[in-house]
Amino acid sequence: MVKIVQKENEVLHQPAGEVPKALFGSAKLKKIIADMSTALAREDDGVALAAPQIALPLKIFVVSGKIFTKENDLAEGKAKPDLVFINPELTNLSKTKQAMEEGCLSVRWLYGEVKRSTKATVTAYDINGKKFTRSGSGLLAQIFQHEMDHLSGVLFTDKTKEVKEYTPPHQP
């Protein structure tokens, strides 16, 4: 079982490397993506995960399909598939910025405000090496920027001025 590493792990503080073209479409890359999706799905409050968060210094992040799924469908267990971004680049950011509260699965139970662009566009590759572009606003734009920070070795705690700690929910 793949574990999400925490802020003390050195891999979170170093830039990730490109996924080699030879890995596209491979069983190895499919397993990495499956491991990331599984680790993300285990976290009720998780919306995205970058490969460095499972100790792999690769430029990959996954956005949970649940953020694109209506509540009724979620209740019935019908979430949309996760979105996979390989070797992503932020190709456009709005000039309009907004302070948004953030947390992180690798910085558990700490939260802080980070000023982010309200709209963002990412160009990346899918698991088979097909290039695509995806734009988002609000939460999706925030996710894009947060995950791109992970791929650069930056945590949200490096950007926030004030960190608040919350008590984790009771785990049965």
Side-chain angles (χ1 to χ4, degrees):
M1 179 164 71
V2 175
K3 294 210 181 303
I4 296 173
V5 299
Q6 293 303 301
K7 63 185 176 294
E8 300 79 19
N9 193 303
E10 201 52 42
V11 73
L12 294 172
H13 303 279
Q14 299 168 349
E18 295 270 321
V19 173
K21 288 193 182 343
L23 267 187
F24 287 107
S26 70
K28 182 176 181 178
L29 185 58
K30 288 175 184 167
K31 180 167 180 3
I32 291 169
I33 302 299
D35 286 348
M36 290 176 68
S37 288
T38 299
L40 179 56
R42 282 196 310 261
E43 305 296 329
D44 288 341
D45 59 336
V47 292
L49 190 73
Q53 292 180 270
I54 62 164
L56 291 175
L58 293 171
K59 288 186 175 183
I60 305 171
F61 71 84
V62 174
V63 178
S64 174
K66 70 184 175 189
I67 73 161
F68 306 105
T69 307
K70 295 179 183 145
E71 274 193 50
N72 296 350
D73 290 340
L74 268 180
E76 294 172 19
K78 295 190 241 170
K80 294 195 185 282
D82 294 345
L83 293 181
V84 177
F85 296 79
I86 301 171
N87 296 338
E89 289 180 42
L90 274 172
T91 51
N92 199 12
L93 291 171
S94 66
K95 287 184 175 48
T96 306
K97 294 184 180 234
Q98 181 179 351
M100 304 178 204
E101 186 167 81
E102 290 190 13
C104 180
L105 297 175
S106 290
V107 188
R108 271 323 218 164
W109 313 119
L110 298 180
Y111 296 84
E113 281 195 351
V114 179
K115 208 166 200 176
R116 302 274 191 199
S117 293
T118 57
K119 294 180 183 174
T121 301
V122 173
T123 298
Y125 295 87
D126 70 13
I127 199 161
N128 296 309
K130 184 173 189 265
K131 195 173 193 176
F132 69 94
T133 299
R134 179 80 191 237
S135 296
S137 59
L139 177 61
L140 189 55
Q142 181 181 15
I143 290 169
F144 286 165
Q145 293 165 82
H146 179 104
E147 299 310 317
M148 291 300 293
D149 280 351
H150 272 302
L151 302 183
S152 298
V154 175
L155 298 175
F156 85 90
T157 50
D158 299 329
K159 292 186 163 199
T160 188
K161 290 181 175 71
E162 184 181 335
V163 175
K164 300 175 209 145
E165 186 168 0
Y166 290 98
T167 305
H170 174 65
Q171 301 293 322

